[in-house]
Amino acid sequence: MTTDTHARFDAAFATAPLVAILRGLTPAEAPAVGEALVEAGFTLIEVPLNSPDPFDSIRLLIERVGDRAMIGAGTVLNVEDVGRVADVGGTLIVSPNTDADVIRATATRGLISLPGYFTVSEGFAALAAGATALKLFPADGTTPAYLKAQRAVLPKATRMLAVGGIVPENLATWRAAGSDGFGLGSNLYRPGKSADAVGQEARRYISALKDIA
């Protein structure tokens, strides 16, 4: 599972290094929103665990689009929840923080670990624990120059995602600073936003991504 899951992530990230963060998604909305995202070209989707019935939403997303996108959870704060995500078939474990226990538990299960970090020290600690890639969070709390400075010392092969305040108009600036991918939250989806509207916004991000490829 480890090899297959990581190979699938590599392919998904290469296709569209955009993680849809569906905070507040309900199970009733999940299939249609997931379909809209995948039709637009998204291959990575997470449901934060502080959403209503998140494990049901993850399961429903996997049933609907799991053959075309990798699905998992965000705001994963403890080892127990890593197991719960795995039990419903999720493969992405995303956190806002650097918790070595959560990262190690994720890596042990062969899942994809995308922890949040902010300092170089946190970045190195996350990598040592087995992180698949690093999520600079909150990116809107700093500048692209900050990421560029970090890239000078973090391992060159590390995949970095800027998360927080990312809009189609600033993808190019963050990419130039060294961001390989992006996490997209309320600018892409917020509770109550229709699947059609989510799909329209998703296509804007995909178009912006193609412009900087």
Side-chain angles (χ1 to χ4, degrees):
M1 179 180 177
T2 301
T3 301
D4 291 346
T5 301
H6 282 263
R8 191 178 178 206
F9 176 75
D10 291 344
F13 196 86
T15 297
L18 304 172
V19 180
I21 304 168
L22 305 181
R23 190 177 309 281
L25 184 76
T26 66
E29 299 171 291
V33 170
E35 188 67 45
L37 288 166
V38 170
E39 286 185 355
F42 275 62
T43 57
L44 301 165
I45 300 172
E46 61 144 291
V47 179
L49 293 186
N50 56 358
S51 303
D53 303 310
F55 298 102
D56 288 341
S57 292
I58 292 168
R59 177 179 54 79
L60 289 165
L61 283 166
I62 292 169
E63 290 176 0
R64 182 66 173 264
V65 300
D67 59 333
R68 292 168 285 163
M70 296 189 75
I71 313 298
T75 318
V76 180
L77 302 177
N78 57 67
V79 170
E80 292 74 23
D81 281 339
V82 174
R84 294 183 70 189
V85 174
D87 287 345
V88 296
T91 50
L92 301 178
I93 303 295
V94 188
S95 302
N97 60 329
T98 301
D99 185 313
D101 290 337
V102 169
I103 297 168
R104 280 193 289 265
T106 303
T108 297
R109 287 178 173 269
L111 305 178
I112 303 303
S113 172
L114 303 176
Y117 87 101
F118 199 74
T119 68
V120 167
S121 294
E122 289 174 338
F124 277 113
L127 292 172
T132 308
L134 297 179
K135 159 187 156 180
L136 177 63
F137 178 78
D140 49 356
T142 185
T143 65
Y146 181 76
L147 174 60
K148 185 175 182 179
Q150 292 184 334
R151 292 242 60 152
V153 293
L154 288 165
K156 294 189 182 303
T158 303
R159 283 172 290 197
M160 313 281 282
L161 296 91
V163 181
I166 303 300
V167 293
E169 292 75 17
N170 66 15
L171 288 190
T173 301
W174 281 102
R175 172 59 62 82
S179 183
D180 303 295
F182 308 91
L184 314 171
S186 60
N187 289 312
L188 174 65
Y189 170 85
R190 60 177 56 88
K193 193 170 185 176
S194 72
D196 286 344
V198 173
Q200 182 177 358
E201 195 63 35
R203 287 188 289 274
R204 290 186 64 230
Y205 278 102
I206 292 292
S207 177
L209 186 67
K210 289 178 179 177
D211 287 343
I212 62 174

